[in-house]
Amino acid sequence: MTDLRTYIEAGQFSVSNLLFDHYAALGLTQTEFLTYPFLDQWQSKHHQAPDLKVLATQMNVAPNVIYSAIETLIQKKAMVLESIPDNQGRMRDYYDLSSLLEKVSSRGQANNTAMVQPNTDAQTNVFNQIEIEFGRPLSPIEQEMIRDWLNTDHYLPEVILLALREAVLNSAYSLKYMDRILLNWERRHLKTAQQVQADIKRHQEL
């Protein structure tokens, strides 16, 4: 009974299912998505500016992970950093999260069925899989490098994931290592996952 009372008295905090359904289509990584509810919950309970070190402890990540996630969320226009006066008239930082909700709502209103575009979903999966294999969130510079692979170099997401697999097999958890692999495949005109896999198999049989 005590546990149930404690549970009830702790209150509830909800996150719209639209966020779960469409955060990948909005270009958010898992770390960025997880930062959003923690930040929202903090601001619903506190009047002072968010203590990012406390948030980092709650999320069980390093403080720089929170700093990087918030920076990229602002860059992606998923939220806005503002300064507002508190009860004593002192200015404090406040993160306006309404822009992300507006984006999610517009997607839900436009189509209540599957809103995730395959290409966007595949690209977001690249970010998530690299974070999982590296065992840490990507820095803003690393995220920019991956975006360049996708949008400037036009590497296919599945080819990047094959480069990730090769890096992991060699215990090389580095985007620079992956970049060398991708450049090598590009020079040898291996552009699709099928071509890369055939080449890998051919070398294994030698």
Side-chain angles (χ1 to χ4, degrees), residues 10 13 31 34-46 48-66 70:
F13 180 78
T31 301
L34 186 60
T35 299
Y36 169 84
F38 273 91
L39 197 57
D40 193 20
Q41 196 248 12
W42 172 278
Q43 294 190 152
S44 71
K45 296 172 61 177
H46 301 83
Q48 71 270 29
D51 188 329
L52 300 186
K53 290 184 178 180
V54 174
L55 286 181
T57 300
Q58 292 176 343
M59 291 176 61
N60 194 30
V61 297
N64 68 296
V65 172
I66 298 291
I70 289 177

Side-chain angles (χ1 to χ4, degrees), residues 161-173:
L161 291 179
L162 285 173
L164 172 63
R165 186 182 70 176
E166 291 298 302
V168 171
L169 288 174
N170 288 280
S171 299
Y173 301 94

Side-chain angles (χ1 to χ4, degrees), residues 20 73 76-77 91 100 120 125 153 160 196:
F20 283 95
L73 282 168
K76 294 177 180 179
K77 302 187 185 305
M91 303 304 292
L100 177 59
T120 303
N125 184 52
D153 301 318
I160 295 175
V196 169

